[in-house]
mmCIF file of all heavy atoms in Angstrom:
data_model
loop_
_atom_site.group_PDB
_atom_site.id
_atom_site.type_symbol
_atom_site.label_atom_id
_atom_site.label_comp_id
_atom_site.label_asym_id
_atom_site.label_seq_id
_atom_site.Cartn_x
_atom_site.Cartn_y
_atom_site.Cartn_z
ATOM 1 N N PRO A 1 0.843 -1.196 0.000
ATOM 2 C CA PRO A 1 0.000 0.000 0.000
ATOM 3 C C PRO A 1 0.879 1.248 0.000
ATOM 4 O O PRO A 1 2.031 1.194 0.433
ATOM 5 C CB PRO A 1 -0.773 -0.094 1.310
ATOM 6 C CG PRO A 1 -0.532 -1.438 1.850
ATOM 7 C CD PRO A 1 0.654 -2.023 1.151
ATOM 8 N N ASP A 2 0.313 2.349 -0.491
ATOM 9 C CA ASP A 2 1.077 3.597 -0.536
ATOM 10 C C ASP A 2 1.665 3.914 0.829
ATOM 11 O O ASP A 2 0.984 3.893 1.838
ATOM 12 C CB ASP A 2 0.185 4.764 -0.973
ATOM 13 C CG ASP A 2 -0.098 4.732 -2.453
ATOM 14 O OD1 ASP A 2 0.641 4.061 -3.186
ATOM 15 O OD2 ASP A 2 -1.057 5.384 -2.869
ATOM 16 N N LEU A 3 2.939 4.184 0.833
ATOM 17 C CA LEU A 3 3.620 4.592 2.054
ATOM 18 C C LEU A 3 3.650 6.112 2.004
ATOM 19 O O LEU A 3 4.078 6.622 1.153
ATOM 20 C CB LEU A 3 5.041 4.024 2.060
ATOM 21 C CG LEU A 3 5.128 2.537 1.789
ATOM 22 C CD1 LEU A 3 6.568 2.116 1.557
ATOM 23 C CD2 LEU A 3 4.548 1.760 2.952
ATOM 24 N N SER A 4 3.241 6.843 2.823
ATOM 25 C CA SER A 4 3.123 8.297 2.822
ATOM 26 C C SER A 4 4.184 9.035 1.997
ATOM 27 O O SER A 4 5.081 9.669 2.528
ATOM 28 C CB SER A 4 3.126 8.802 4.256
ATOM 29 O OG SER A 4 4.327 8.414 4.879
ATOM 30 N N TYR A 5 4.079 8.945 0.671
ATOM 31 C CA TYR A 5 5.005 9.639 -0.224
ATOM 32 C C TYR A 5 4.469 11.006 -0.636
ATOM 33 O O TYR A 5 5.143 11.734 -1.338
ATOM 34 C CB TYR A 5 5.265 8.828 -1.495
ATOM 35 C CG TYR A 5 6.005 7.545 -1.279
ATOM 36 C CD1 TYR A 5 5.610 6.382 -1.909
ATOM 37 C CD2 TYR A 5 7.106 7.491 -0.444
ATOM 38 C CE1 TYR A 5 6.295 5.199 -1.720
ATOM 39 C CE2 TYR A 5 7.795 6.306 -0.250
ATOM 40 C CZ TYR A 5 7.380 5.171 -0.898
ATOM 41 O OH TYR A 5 8.052 4.000 -0.704
ATOM 42 N N GLY A 6 3.244 11.319 -0.254
ATOM 43 C CA GLY A 6 2.675 12.585 -0.688
ATOM 44 C C GLY A 6 2.536 12.592 -2.196
ATOM 45 O O GLY A 6 2.039 11.648 -2.791
ATOM 46 N N ASN A 7 3.011 13.654 -2.821
ATOM 47 C CA ASN A 7 2.925 13.774 -4.282
ATOM 48 C C ASN A 7 4.177 13.271 -4.987
ATOM 49 O O ASN A 7 4.284 13.375 -6.197
ATOM 50 C CB ASN A 7 2.660 15.227 -4.673
ATOM 51 C CG ASN A 7 1.241 15.643 -4.340
ATOM 52 O OD1 ASN A 7 0.329 14.828 -4.346
ATOM 53 N ND2 ASN A 7 1.059 16.905 -4.024
ATOM 54 N N GLU A 8 5.122 12.717 -4.228
ATOM 55 C CA GLU A 8 6.327 12.184 -4.854
ATOM 56 C C GLU A 8 6.008 10.972 -5.723
ATOM 57 O O GLU A 8 5.230 10.116 -5.330
ATOM 58 C CB GLU A 8 7.324 11.713 -3.784
ATOM 59 C CG GLU A 8 8.035 12.798 -3.055
ATOM 60 C CD GLU A 8 9.029 12.194 -2.084
ATOM 61 O OE1 GLU A 8 9.841 11.345 -2.492
ATOM 62 O OE2 GLU A 8 8.962 12.563 -0.908
ATOM 63 N N HIS A 9 6.601 10.914 -6.871
ATOM 64 C CA HIS A 9 6.528 9.734 -7.758
ATOM 65 C C HIS A 9 5.090 9.334 -8.091
ATOM 66 O O HIS A 9 4.806 8.161 -8.312
ATOM 67 C CB HIS A 9 7.260 8.544 -7.133
ATOM 68 C CG HIS A 9 8.651 8.857 -6.713
ATOM 69 N ND1 HIS A 9 9.644 9.130 -7.615
ATOM 70 C CD2 HIS A 9 9.205 8.968 -5.481
ATOM 71 C CE1 HIS A 9 10.765 9.384 -6.965
ATOM 72 N NE2 HIS A 9 10.524 9.303 -5.677
ATOM 73 N N ILE A 10 4.197 10.296 -8.182
ATOM 74 C CA ILE A 10 2.789 9.982 -8.438
ATOM 75 C C ILE A 10 2.621 9.299 -9.797
ATOM 76 O O ILE A 10 1.812 8.386 -9.935
ATOM 77 C CB ILE A 10 1.913 11.235 -8.299
ATOM 78 C CG1 ILE A 10 0.454 10.832 -8.153
ATOM 79 C CG2 ILE A 10 2.115 12.206 -9.447
ATOM 80 C CD1 ILE A 10 -0.434 11.940 -7.641
ATOM 81 N N GLY A 11 3.408 9.690 -10.781
ATOM 82 C CA GLY A 11 3.332 9.065 -12.099
ATOM 83 C C GLY A 11 3.730 7.599 -12.061
ATOM 84 O O GLY A 11 3.087 6.749 -12.680
ATOM 85 N N LEU A 12 4.790 7.279 -11.328
ATOM 86 C CA LEU A 12 5.223 5.877 -11.200
ATOM 87 C C LEU A 12 4.164 5.051 -10.490
ATOM 88 O O LEU A 12 3.860 3.926 -10.893
ATOM 89 C CB LEU A 12 6.539 5.790 -10.430
ATOM 90 C CG LEU A 12 7.771 6.374 -11.100
ATOM 91 C CD1 LEU A 12 8.979 6.266 -10.175
ATOM 92 C CD2 LEU A 12 8.047 5.697 -12.424
ATOM 93 N N ARG A 13 3.592 5.596 -9.416
ATOM 94 C CA ARG A 13 2.552 4.866 -8.673
ATOM 95 C C ARG A 13 1.343 4.604 -9.549
ATOM 96 O O ARG A 13 0.797 3.501 -9.561
ATOM 97 C CB ARG A 13 2.147 5.648 -7.425
ATOM 98 C CG ARG A 13 3.206 5.648 -6.362
ATOM 99 C CD ARG A 13 2.679 6.132 -5.030
ATOM 100 N NE ARG A 13 1.802 7.279 -5.125
ATOM 101 C CZ ARG A 13 2.017 8.455 -4.553
ATOM 102 N NH1 ARG A 13 3.091 8.642 -3.833
ATOM 103 N NH2 ARG A 13 1.167 9.433 -4.679
ATOM 104 N N TYR A 14 0.887 5.611 -10.302
ATOM 105 C CA TYR A 14 -0.292 5.434 -11.151
ATOM 106 C C TYR A 14 -0.021 4.455 -12.284
ATOM 107 O O TYR A 14 -0.898 3.665 -12.643
ATOM 108 C CB TYR A 14 -0.788 6.764 -11.692
ATOM 109 C CG TYR A 14 -1.512 7.596 -10.663
ATOM 110 C CD1 TYR A 14 -1.744 8.941 -10.881
ATOM 111 C CD2 TYR A 14 -1.974 7.060 -9.470
ATOM 112 C CE1 TYR A 14 -2.415 9.716 -9.937
ATOM 113 C CE2 TYR A 14 -2.632 7.812 -8.527
ATOM 114 C CZ TYR A 14 -2.852 9.145 -8.772
ATOM 115 O OH TYR A 14 -3.512 9.910 -7.843
ATOM 116 N N CYS A 15 1.172 4.486 -12.857
ATOM 117 C CA CYS A 15 1.512 3.511 -13.910
ATOM 118 C C CYS A 15 1.424 2.092 -13.365
ATOM 119 O O CYS A 15 0.846 1.208 -14.002
ATOM 120 C CB CYS A 15 2.917 3.768 -14.447
ATOM 121 S SG CYS A 15 3.037 5.184 -15.529
ATOM 122 N N TYR A 16 1.983 1.873 -12.189
ATOM 123 C CA TYR A 16 1.942 0.540 -11.590
ATOM 124 C C TYR A 16 0.504 0.130 -11.280
ATOM 125 O O TYR A 16 0.092 -0.992 -11.577
ATOM 126 C CB TYR A 16 2.803 0.499 -10.320
ATOM 127 C CG TYR A 16 2.750 -0.842 -9.646
ATOM 128 C CD1 TYR A 16 3.423 -1.929 -10.198
ATOM 129 C CD2 TYR A 16 1.999 -1.042 -8.503
ATOM 130 C CE1 TYR A 16 3.367 -3.175 -9.604
ATOM 131 C CE2 TYR A 16 1.942 -2.288 -7.899
ATOM 132 C CZ TYR A 16 2.619 -3.349 -8.453
ATOM 133 O OH TYR A 16 2.545 -4.581 -7.867
ATOM 134 N N ARG A 17 -0.280 1.032 -10.708
ATOM 135 C CA ARG A 17 -1.677 0.712 -10.384
ATOM 136 C C ARG A 17 -2.477 0.360 -11.634
ATOM 137 O O ARG A 17 -3.258 -0.589 -11.631
ATOM 138 C CB ARG A 17 -2.352 1.899 -9.694
ATOM 139 C CG ARG A 17 -1.979 2.062 -8.267
ATOM 140 C CD ARG A 17 -2.790 3.189 -7.695
ATOM 141 N NE ARG A 17 -2.376 3.539 -6.365
ATOM 142 C CZ ARG A 17 -2.736 4.639 -5.751
ATOM 143 N NH1 ARG A 17 -3.515 5.514 -6.349
ATOM 144 N NH2 ARG A 17 -2.329 4.887 -4.532
ATOM 145 N N ARG A 18 -2.294 1.122 -12.696
ATOM 146 C CA ARG A 18 -3.040 0.860 -13.935
ATOM 147 C C ARG A 18 -2.607 -0.462 -14.557
ATOM 148 O O ARG A 18 -3.434 -1.226 -15.047
ATOM 149 C CB ARG A 18 -2.846 2.001 -14.921
ATOM 150 C CG ARG A 18 -3.589 3.236 -14.510
ATOM 151 C CD ARG A 18 -3.371 4.364 -15.460
ATOM 152 N NE ARG A 18 -4.091 5.542 -14.992
ATOM 153 C CZ ARG A 18 -3.820 6.765 -15.359
ATOM 154 N NH1 ARG A 18 -2.828 6.998 -16.204
ATOM 155 N NH2 ARG A 18 -4.520 7.777 -14.905
ATOM 156 N N LEU A 19 -1.319 -0.718 -14.547
ATOM 157 C CA LEU A 19 -0.817 -1.971 -15.104
ATOM 158 C C LEU A 19 -1.431 -3.161 -14.387
ATOM 159 O O LEU A 19 -1.936 -4.091 -15.021
ATOM 160 C CB LEU A 19 0.710 -2.013 -14.993
ATOM 161 C CG LEU A 19 1.388 -3.255 -15.553
ATOM 162 C CD1 LEU A 19 1.303 -3.268 -17.071
ATOM 163 C CD2 LEU A 19 2.838 -3.306 -15.101
ATOM 164 N N THR A 20 -1.430 -3.153 -13.069
ATOM 165 C CA THR A 20 -1.971 -4.286 -12.322
ATOM 166 C C THR A 20 -3.496 -4.318 -12.354
ATOM 167 O O THR A 20 -4.080 -5.392 -12.273
ATOM 168 C CB THR A 20 -1.465 -4.295 -10.865
ATOM 169 O OG1 THR A 20 -1.787 -3.063 -10.235
ATOM 170 C CG2 THR A 20 0.037 -4.539 -10.823
ATOM 171 N N ALA A 21 -4.146 -3.170 -12.513
ATOM 172 C CA ALA A 21 -5.608 -3.159 -12.623
ATOM 173 C C ALA A 21 -6.055 -3.803 -13.932
ATOM 174 O O ALA A 21 -7.044 -4.535 -13.974
ATOM 175 C CB ALA A 21 -6.139 -1.732 -12.531
ATOM 176 N N VAL A 22 -5.315 -3.559 -15.000
ATOM 177 C CA VAL A 22 -5.688 -4.096 -16.311
ATOM 178 C C VAL A 22 -5.208 -5.534 -16.496
ATOM 179 O O VAL A 22 -5.945 -6.381 -16.978
ATOM 180 C CB VAL A 22 -5.130 -3.196 -17.442
ATOM 181 C CG1 VAL A 22 -5.329 -3.837 -18.809
ATOM 182 C CG2 VAL A 22 -5.778 -1.824 -17.398
ATOM 183 N N PHE A 23 -3.961 -5.829 -16.098
ATOM 184 C CA PHE A 23 -3.363 -7.131 -16.392
ATOM 185 C C PHE A 23 -3.292 -8.058 -15.188
ATOM 186 O O PHE A 23 -2.837 -9.189 -15.305
ATOM 187 C CB PHE A 23 -1.962 -6.950 -16.981
ATOM 188 C CG PHE A 23 -1.976 -6.311 -18.334
ATOM 189 C CD1 PHE A 23 -1.693 -4.971 -18.482
ATOM 190 C CD2 PHE A 23 -2.294 -7.043 -19.469
ATOM 191 C CE1 PHE A 23 -1.703 -4.373 -19.728
ATOM 192 C CE2 PHE A 23 -2.319 -6.460 -20.717
ATOM 193 C CZ PHE A 23 -2.022 -5.114 -20.846
ATOM 194 N N GLY A 24 -3.686 -7.586 -14.023
ATOM 195 C CA GLY A 24 -3.667 -8.425 -12.831
ATOM 196 C C GLY A 24 -2.340 -8.380 -12.107
ATOM 197 O O GLY A 24 -1.383 -7.730 -12.524
ATOM 198 N N GLU A 25 -2.286 -9.120 -11.025
ATOM 199 C CA GLU A 25 -1.118 -9.095 -10.148
ATOM 200 C C GLU A 25 0.112 -9.769 -10.753
ATOM 201 O O GLU A 25 1.208 -9.653 -10.202
ATOM 202 C CB GLU A 25 -1.467 -9.742 -8.803
ATOM 203 C CG GLU A 25 -2.485 -8.953 -8.006
ATOM 204 C CD GLU A 25 -2.032 -7.531 -7.680
ATOM 205 O OE1 GLU A 25 -0.852 -7.337 -7.315
ATOM 206 O OE2 GLU A 25 -2.858 -6.622 -7.799
ATOM 207 N N THR A 26 -0.037 -10.481 -11.872
ATOM 208 C CA THR A 26 1.139 -11.080 -12.484
ATOM 209 C C THR A 26 1.929 -10.068 -13.314
ATOM 210 O O THR A 26 3.067 -10.341 -13.673
ATOM 211 C CB THR A 26 0.779 -12.294 -13.363
ATOM 212 O OG1 THR A 26 -0.096 -11.877 -14.392
ATOM 213 C CG2 THR A 26 0.163 -13.398 -12.536
ATOM 214 N N ALA A 27 1.326 -8.925 -13.622
ATOM 215 C CA ALA A 27 2.050 -7.858 -14.312
ATOM 216 C C ALA A 27 3.052 -7.252 -13.336
ATOM 217 O O ALA A 27 2.834 -7.252 -12.132
ATOM 218 C CB ALA A 27 1.077 -6.796 -14.807
ATOM 219 N N SER A 28 4.156 -6.732 -13.870
ATOM 220 C CA SER A 28 5.153 -6.187 -12.964
ATOM 221 C C SER A 28 5.984 -5.092 -13.617
ATOM 222 O O SER A 28 6.099 -5.030 -14.842
ATOM 223 C CB SER A 28 6.084 -7.292 -12.465
ATOM 224 O OG SER A 28 6.813 -7.837 -13.544
ATOM 225 N N ILE A 29 6.529 -4.253 -12.768
ATOM 226 C CA ILE A 29 7.536 -3.269 -13.166
ATOM 227 C C ILE A 29 8.695 -3.445 -12.190
ATOM 228 O O ILE A 29 8.501 -3.419 -10.977
ATOM 229 C CB ILE A 29 7.017 -1.822 -13.086
ATOM 230 C CG1 ILE A 29 5.794 -1.621 -13.979
ATOM 231 C CG2 ILE A 29 8.128 -0.844 -13.488
ATOM 232 C CD1 ILE A 29 5.150 -0.244 -13.853
ATOM 233 N N THR A 30 9.876 -3.651 -12.721
ATOM 234 C CA THR A 30 11.056 -3.761 -11.873
ATOM 235 C C THR A 30 12.075 -2.719 -12.315
ATOM 236 O O THR A 30 12.044 -2.249 -13.458
ATOM 237 C CB THR A 30 11.692 -5.165 -11.931
ATOM 238 O OG1 THR A 30 12.011 -5.469 -13.289
ATOM 239 C CG2 THR A 30 10.750 -6.218 -11.383
ATOM 240 N N VAL A 31 12.958 -2.372 -11.416
ATOM 241 C CA VAL A 31 13.986 -1.377 -11.738
ATOM 242 C C VAL A 31 15.335 -1.855 -11.221
ATOM 243 O O VAL A 31 15.439 -2.421 -10.136
ATOM 244 C CB VAL A 31 13.625 0.015 -11.171
ATOM 245 C CG1 VAL A 31 13.494 -0.015 -9.670
ATOM 246 C CG2 VAL A 31 14.629 1.070 -11.607
ATOM 247 N N GLN A 32 16.343 -1.651 -12.061
ATOM 248 C CA GLN A 32 17.727 -1.902 -11.678
ATOM 249 C C GLN A 32 18.503 -0.634 -12.014
ATOM 250 O O GLN A 32 18.244 -0.012 -13.046
ATOM 251 C CB GLN A 32 18.306 -3.086 -12.438
ATOM 252 C CG GLN A 32 17.647 -4.392 -12.088
ATOM 253 C CD GLN A 32 18.310 -5.561 -12.789
ATOM 254 O OE1 GLN A 32 19.303 -5.428 -13.478
ATOM 255 N NE2 GLN A 32 17.742 -6.736 -12.605
ATOM 256 N N SER A 33 19.416 -0.272 -11.154
ATOM 257 C CA SER A 33 20.184 0.940 -11.396
ATOM 258 C C SER A 33 21.519 0.856 -10.684
ATOM 259 O O SER A 33 21.633 0.254 -9.615
ATOM 260 C CB SER A 33 19.407 2.167 -10.901
ATOM 261 O OG SER A 33 20.082 3.356 -11.256
ATOM 262 N N GLU A 34 22.510 1.441 -11.319
ATOM 263 C CA GLU A 34 23.830 1.547 -10.709
ATOM 264 C C GLU A 34 24.305 2.980 -10.924
ATOM 265 O O GLU A 34 24.249 3.503 -12.055
ATOM 266 C CB GLU A 34 24.787 0.559 -11.357
ATOM 267 C CG GLU A 34 26.108 0.477 -10.668
ATOM 268 C CD GLU A 34 27.010 -0.594 -11.260
ATOM 269 O OE1 GLU A 34 26.502 -1.532 -11.890
ATOM 270 O OE2 GLU A 34 28.231 -0.472 -11.071
ATOM 271 N N GLN A 35 24.721 3.606 -9.842
ATOM 272 C CA GLN A 35 25.153 4.987 -9.929
ATOM 273 C C GLN A 35 26.312 5.126 -10.910
ATOM 274 O O GLN A 35 27.219 4.288 -10.947
ATOM 275 C CB GLN A 35 25.563 5.505 -8.552
ATOM 276 C CG GLN A 35 25.187 6.940 -8.362
ATOM 277 C CD GLN A 35 25.192 7.352 -6.898
ATOM 278 O OE1 GLN A 35 25.493 6.588 -6.011
ATOM 279 N NE2 GLN A 35 24.829 8.593 -6.671
ATOM 280 N N ASP A 36 26.243 6.157 -11.745
ATOM 281 C CA ASP A 36 27.231 6.470 -12.784
ATOM 282 C C ASP A 36 27.287 5.435 -13.909
ATOM 283 O O ASP A 36 28.212 5.438 -14.708
ATOM 284 C CB ASP A 36 28.634 6.656 -12.183
ATOM 285 C CG ASP A 36 28.674 7.802 -11.177
ATOM 286 O OD1 ASP A 36 28.025 8.838 -11.430
ATOM 287 O OD2 ASP A 36 29.321 7.646 -10.131
ATOM 288 N N VAL A 37 26.301 4.524 -13.953
ATOM 289 C CA VAL A 37 26.257 3.521 -15.023
ATOM 290 C C VAL A 37 24.944 3.628 -15.798
ATOM 291 O O VAL A 37 24.935 3.636 -17.014
ATOM 292 C CB VAL A 37 26.439 2.092 -14.470
ATOM 293 C CG1 VAL A 37 26.257 1.058 -15.564
ATOM 294 C CG2 VAL A 37 27.802 1.962 -13.817
ATOM 295 N N GLY A 38 23.809 3.712 -15.088
ATOM 296 C CA GLY A 38 22.527 3.831 -15.756
ATOM 297 C C GLY A 38 21.415 3.130 -15.009
ATOM 298 O O GLY A 38 21.619 2.569 -13.931
#
């Protein structure tokens, strides 16, 4: 559930909610990142 982020990252949250609302809980978004790499 939303952790008190306020208006931070609202676009990311809505994208995830819409994805799972349309395609179900098997849909996913994952992120990998390394500083100074990408």
Side-chain angles (χ1 to χ4, degrees):
D2 285 341
L3 309 169
S4 59
Y5 293 136
N7 288 330
E8 286 183 51
H9 308 292
I10 197 164
L12 293 177
R13 289 194 318 240
Y14 285 164
C15 285
Y16 178 74
R17 283 184 188 166
R18 287 179 181 160
L19 181 70
T20 56
V22 172
F23 293 101
E25 294 301 318
T26 60
S28 64
I29 301 175
T30 57
V31 60
Q32 294 184 4
S33 186
E34 188 175 337
Q35 216 163 1
D36 299 321
V37 175

